[in-house]
Amino acid sequence: MNTKLKRMIAAALILSLLIIIGLTIFFAVTGSQWFWVMLFLMFFFPIFLWAMSFLYKWSKK
């Protein structure tokens, strides 16, 4: 994979994490029922991304 593609993927992942954090705060302030879903995503999405990167590195060996 070239470095330009890696940078684009990294930027997209950072943007998605920021959107999840922003929506979590928004739903917390508004008192929406979606707050719990976003809170769940806020904790488990980074763990999922770490697991996928670990599996990717493991499969290349």
Side-chain angles (χ1 to χ4, degrees):
M1 225 189 302
N2 68 25
T3 57
K4 196 173 204 179
L5 182 61
K6 285 183 182 179
R7 286 183 183 183
M8 288 174 42
I9 292 172
L13 291 175
I14 290 171
L15 182 63
S16 67
L17 287 171
L18 290 175
I19 288 171
I20 289 172
I21 292 169
L23 284 174
T24 304
I25 293 170
F26 173 75
F27 289 139
V29 170
T30 60
S32 174
Q33 66 185 8
W34 287 96
F35 168 71
W36 296 107
V37 174
M38 296 308 295
L39 192 63
F40 176 81
L41 265 178
M42 194 170 82
F43 285 108
F44 288 102
F45 187 63
I47 294 169
F48 173 74
L49 292 177
W50 174 82
M52 289 295 110
S53 69
F54 176 76
L55 289 175
Y56 176 74
K57 290 176 187 175
W58 182 68
S59 69
K60 289 189 84 172
K61 289 184 179 180

